[in-house]
């Protein structure tokens, strides 16, 4: 028998809505490793190694040969044997563990294991009796899936106890005889009908509960010393990032419960890996049910991951969980727990003492009472512990949310400040431009005034010159009497005021041909047009 915790990882193929090229996992079957990289493909790839790795193309048969067959053998050897599917919602746990395909090719581990189990049972007629039970843990309430009645919010949790040999058992749980693989699948189908399945944003059939199918292999040949073997098939509810699945209300509470119980499982695995003297099996129901398989049986952990880069974080945390389980050292297999709870133990030194039988029985009943009280207190502590952990988780989520909001607010403030500084610079530049334009405008105005004055002066001079020339030419050509040039008849000279304000041509005095002076532009030559 090899290590009693066998860990393998399976990567499911991309789903219809996933891009097959956008993958974050790379499998190396030869050295049984999986490398995970994010979208940027950083050089600091994380590498995880396992007892076995199954790529997307791995068949259901392949998984059975690697995991299922040994699990069945372990049960026939009289040990507790468990196959646990662990992974993010939608990563392929149920498909791996209990898929019922349209053809045998698609069948999951459950179908294949029971087929194998009954082949061996049928080869040994009269040697084995097989019974089964089917349980669900929903919101830390353990319920029976073979009663035919769906659990409700009022369902009271079944309790988990340990027998004298330290084996866990559930008093009052329905156990049915099964004689074939068909019987098992029939009961599983009945249980599935009442299993809690709800819609979430993550997976249209997301399982909101952990479910455990337990097959008990009883030896009918009493002469055999081999004890009862068990095969547990555990389909865990998927871990879930509450923000990503956007669940609310009851669904959020379910998700918190699922995450808390998976954290407990992580603590158990951690304690076993560290060789810690105390393993917190009692912290939640699922670890308590799996206690025997971990303690002295054989556990097969199948961690399932999706290939998509969008599942990068979940894939990392699932594979980290698997790697931690890989560190669990070989534990002693077989019956006889060394750490059975003291209530089951009887102090034999008392028997050997001189106390009377009555005294012994009084002390024993007192011992039993105290054990019962301790169990009650233990349940209460577990309950309080679960509530505390839940509150703790919530606080951690809130802290993370606050930190994210703070960072976002700081980023927004920084961006606004930068924007403001940018605007201030622009405004300053605009003011500077305006001032410069203003100065230029003033200079231009002055220049224009100068030019206007010059133009007026020039116009006046030209007009006078023109008048003089015209007068002279009239005198010459027409022999006009000198009277015309007589000062009294001469056109009046403009007064100093007129010079400035009125056009000299506006004078009513008769002039020679009227001359229109046109000034097109400051620099253009004056044009004289005779009308
Ligand atoms: P989970 O139980 O982890 O929430 P499921 O087992 O329901 O996830 O798988 C999610 C989807 O992926 C299902 O549609 C299932 O048929 C498909 N799927 C999972 N694993 C495989 C696989 N190895 N090959 C083909 N389809 C798979
Ligand atoms: Mg599932």
């Amino acid at each position: 028998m090899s290590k009693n915790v066998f860990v393998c990882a399976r990567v499911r193929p991309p789903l219809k809505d996933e891009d097959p090229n956008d993958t974050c996992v790379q499998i190396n079957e030869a050295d049984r490793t999986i490398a995970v990289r994010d979208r940027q493909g950083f050089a600091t790839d994380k590498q995880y190694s396992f007892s076995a790795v199954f790529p997307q193309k791995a068949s259901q048969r392949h998984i059975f040969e690697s995991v299922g067959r040994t699990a069945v053998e372990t049960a026939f050897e009289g040990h507790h044997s468990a196959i646990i599917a662990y992974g993010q919602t939608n990563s392929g746990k149920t498909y791996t563990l209990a898929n019922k395909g349209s053809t045998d090719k698609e069948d999951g581990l459950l179908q294949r294991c029971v087929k194998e189990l009954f082949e061996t049972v049928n080869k040994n007629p009269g040697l084995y009796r097989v019974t089964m039970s089917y349980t669900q843990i929903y919101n830390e309430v353990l319920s029976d899936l073979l009663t035919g009645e769906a659990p409700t919010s009022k369902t009271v949790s079944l309790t988990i106890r340990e027998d004298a040999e330290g084996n866990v058992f559930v008093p009052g749980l329905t156990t049915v005889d099964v004689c074939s693989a068909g019987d098992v699948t029939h009961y599983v189908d009945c249980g599935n009908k009442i299993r809690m399945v709800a819609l979430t944003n993550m997976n249209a059939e997301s399982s909101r509960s952990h479910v455990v199918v337990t097959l008990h292999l009883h030896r009918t040949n009493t002469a055999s010393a081999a004890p009862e073997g068990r095969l547990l098939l555990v389909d865990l509810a998927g871990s879930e990032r509450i923000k990503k699945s956007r669940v609310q209300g009851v669904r959020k509470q379910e998700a918190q419960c699922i995450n808390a119980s998976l954290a407990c499982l992580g603590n158990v695995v951690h304690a076993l890996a560290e060789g810690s003297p105390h393993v917190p099996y009692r912290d939640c129901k699922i670890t308590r049910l799996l206690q025997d398989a971990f303690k002295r049986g054989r556990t097969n952990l199948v961690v399932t991951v999706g290939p998509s880069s969008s599942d990068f974080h979940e894939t990392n945390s699932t594979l980290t969980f698997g790697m931690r389980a890989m560190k669990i050292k070989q534990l002693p297999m077989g019956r006889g727990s060394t750490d059975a709870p003291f209530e089951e133990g009887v102090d034999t030194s008392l028997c050997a003492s001189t106390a009377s039988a009555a005294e012994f029985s009084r002390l024993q009943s007192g011992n039993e009472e105290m054990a019962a009280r301790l169990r009650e207190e233990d349940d209460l502590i577990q309950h309080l512990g679960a509530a505390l952990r839940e509150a703790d988780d919530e606080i951690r989520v809130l802290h993370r949310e606050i930190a994210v909001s703070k960072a976002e607010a700081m980023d927004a403030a920084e961006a606004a400040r930068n924007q403001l500084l940018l605007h201030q610079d622009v405004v300053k530049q605009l003011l500077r431009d305006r001032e410069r334009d203003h100065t230029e405008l003033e200079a231009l105005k002055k220049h224009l005034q100068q030019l206007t004055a010059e133009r007026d002066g020039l116009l006046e001079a030209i007009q006078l010159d023109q008048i003089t020339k015209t007068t002279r030419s009239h005198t010459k050509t027409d022999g006009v009497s000198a009277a015309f040039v007589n000062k009294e008849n001469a056109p009046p000279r403009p007064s100093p005021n007129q010079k400035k304000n009125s056009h000299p041509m506006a004078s009513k005095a008769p002039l020679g041909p009227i001359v229109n002076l046109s000034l097109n532009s400051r620099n253009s030559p004056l044009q004289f047009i005779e009308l």
Side-chain angles (χ1 to χ4, degrees):
M1 173 70 56
S2 55
K3 261 188 86 166
N4 51 358
V5 177
F6 178 87
V7 189
C8 57
R10 184 181 200 183
V11 181
R12 72 153 162 71
L15 299 176
K16 271 192 211 116
D17 57 348
E18 289 174 339
D19 177 358
N21 300 316
D22 186 23
T23 173
C24 68
V25 287
Q26 198 174 51
I27 293 194
N28 186 333
E29 279 182 87
D31 63 5
R32 301 192 297 260
T33 59
I34 298 184
V36 181
R37 68 191 67 201
D38 66 10
R39 280 198 169 112
Q40 279 75 40
F42 288 136
T44 55
D45 281 353
K46 285 194 181 159
Q47 187 124 323
Y48 300 90
S49 58
F50 298 100
S51 308
V53 292
F54 304 111
Q56 299 174 8
K57 62 178 186 340
S59 65
Q60 295 281 68
R61 188 186 56 78
H62 187 165
I63 314 286
F64 169 73
E65 291 303 336
S66 179
V67 180
R69 194 177 288 285
T70 344
V72 175
E73 282 168 9
T74 306
F76 275 110
E77 284 165 11
H79 299 298
H80 286 214
S81 170
I83 303 177
I84 306 169
Y86 178 101
Q88 182 203 358
T89 299
N90 221 14
S91 59
K93 296 181 297 299
T94 305
Y95 181 88
T96 300
L97 202 80
N99 187 56
K100 219 171 103 187
S102 46
T103 61
D104 291 358
K105 211 174 141 223
E106 294 293 305
D107 278 351
L109 281 167
L110 172 78
Q111 289 75 4
R112 288 168 192 269
C113 284
V114 292
K115 207 167 151 202
E116 172 71 18
L117 187 142
F118 279 103
E119 267 176 26
T120 309
V121 167
N122 293 336
K123 272 187 212 156
N124 300 279
L127 190 58
Y128 296 103
R129 182 178 149 235
V130 186
T131 59
M132 73 169 275
S133 61
Y134 191 16
T135 50
Q136 166 185 264
I137 301 169
Y138 173 71
N139 279 353
E140 273 306 276
V141 173
L142 175 66
S143 50
D144 191 340
L145 288 179
L146 294 184
T147 57
E149 274 174 39
T152 66
S153 57
K154 296 202 174 75
T155 301
V156 178
S157 179
L158 295 168
T159 50
I160 304 171
R161 294 263 177 263
E162 276 179 33
D163 65 16
E165 287 179 345
N167 296 316
V168 291
F169 73 103
V170 180
L173 182 67
T174 306
T175 307
V176 290
D177 275 86
V178 278
C179 302
S180 66
D183 282 356
V184 176
T185 44
H186 163 74
Y187 284 117
V188 170
D189 286 347
C190 292
N192 282 345
K193 283 194 188 123
I194 55 175
R195 189 181 169 189
M196 288 282 181
V197 171
L199 285 173
T200 69
N201 289 333
M202 297 281 291
N203 177 353
E205 276 220 335
S206 175
S207 318
R208 316 298 300 168
S209 56
H210 308 304
V211 286
V212 184
V213 173
T214 309
L215 292 152
H216 303 254
L217 261 176
H218 312 270
R219 278 197 176 246
T220 47
N221 178 353
T222 47
S224 161
E228 174 204 309
R230 282 188 204 173
L231 175 62
L232 285 84
L233 291 123
V234 186
D235 188 3
L236 295 173
S239 54
E240 201 164 282
R241 280 210 292 166
I242 292 169
K243 255 192 173 171
K244 190 169 174 183
S245 60
R246 299 200 297 278
V247 286
Q248 295 290 337
V250 180
R251 297 284 166 266
K252 188 173 172 186
Q253 195 198 336
E254 285 170 356
Q256 281 167 341
C257 237
I258 292 166
N259 291 346
S261 62
L262 292 176
C264 285
L265 182 60
N267 293 341
V268 164
V269 166
H270 183 70
L272 288 169
E274 296 294 307
S276 165
H278 172 70
V279 182
Y281 293 114
R282 287 168 179 257
D283 276 5
C284 71
K285 301 262 175 350
I286 190 67
T287 50
R288 191 94 161 99
L289 278 184
L290 291 171
Q291 176 179 316
D292 289 339
F294 274 121
K295 257 186 178 173
R296 46 182 180 274
R298 188 170 198 265
T299 301
N300 298 275
L301 183 66
V302 185
V303 296
T304 55
V305 294
S308 170
S309 290
S310 61
D311 294 331
F312 174 75
H313 295 290
E314 292 83 354
T315 296
N316 264 312
S317 74
T318 300
L319 296 178
T320 303
F321 176 84
M323 277 282 281
R324 196 182 285 167
M326 282 287 290
K327 290 194 189 131
I328 298 177
K329 294 169 195 80
Q330 178 72 33
L331 305 167
M333 294 263 294
R335 301 298 156 127
S337 167
T338 50
D339 56 352
F342 82 92
E343 67 261 36
E344 264 89 38
V346 175
D347 189 347
T348 47
S349 66
L350 264 183
C351 302
S353 80
T354 53
S356 67
E359 177 66 357
F360 175 72
S361 110
R362 192 184 64 76
L363 284 172
Q364 195 175 25
S365 79
N367 193 14
E368 273 164 12
E369 256 174 47
M370 194 183 285
R373 256 208 323 276
L374 276 172
R375 268 197 297 271
E376 269 169 30
E377 273 171 16
D378 197 40
D379 281 349
L380 188 68
I381 289 168
Q382 276 188 43
H383 184 74
L384 289 173
L388 263 176
R389 276 190 300 278
E390 218 170 274
D392 224 34
D393 278 352
E394 207 135 358
I395 288 169
R396 231 172 288 134
V397 168
L398 282 174
H399 272 249
R400 260 201 304 276
E401 279 175 2
I402 289 169
V404 169
S405 306
K406 209 169 133 187
E408 280 171 357
M410 277 165 71
D411 284 350
E414 177 78 13
R417 207 170 67 88
N418 288 342
Q419 197 71 19
L420 194 69
L421 289 175
L422 205 72
H423 283 164
Q424 275 177 354
D425 285 349
V426 171
V427 169
K428 272 184 199 159
Q429 186 58 40
L430 283 173
L431 285 173
R432 274 197 296 274
D433 287 352
R434 201 185 68 163
E435 193 133 348
R436 200 193 55 227
D437 289 346
H438 184 72
T439 316
E440 275 178 19
L441 192 67
E442 287 302 311
L444 280 173
K445 266 188 194 167
K446 263 188 201 150
H447 190 58
L448 188 65
Q449 273 169 3
Q450 270 174 15
L451 288 174
T452 310
E454 275 171 30
R455 187 198 62 177
D456 289 349
L458 272 172
L459 275 176
E460 200 177 314
I462 288 165
Q463 280 165 10
L464 281 174
D465 190 42
Q466 189 69 28
I467 290 162
T468 314
K469 276 183 189 161
T470 309
T471 311
R472 271 194 205 126
S473 97
H474 276 265
T475 313
K476 265 190 207 165
T477 52
D478 299 334
V480 180
S481 69
F484 188 76
V485 289
N486 184 317
K487 272 185 187 170
E488 283 154 28
N489 293 329
R493 281 176 164 269
S495 71
N497 278 350
Q498 274 177 323
K499 256 192 206 174
K500 259 195 178 174
N501 301 325
S502 61
H503 197 285
M505 300 302 281
S507 160
K508 288 192 175 111
L511 292 171
I514 297 165
V515 174
N516 188 9
L517 293 168
S518 125
L519 185 68
N520 281 350
S521 76
R522 218 169 56 218
N523 299 321
S524 61
L526 286 168
Q527 292 176 0
F528 296 86
I529 301 159
E530 282 206 7
L531 298 171

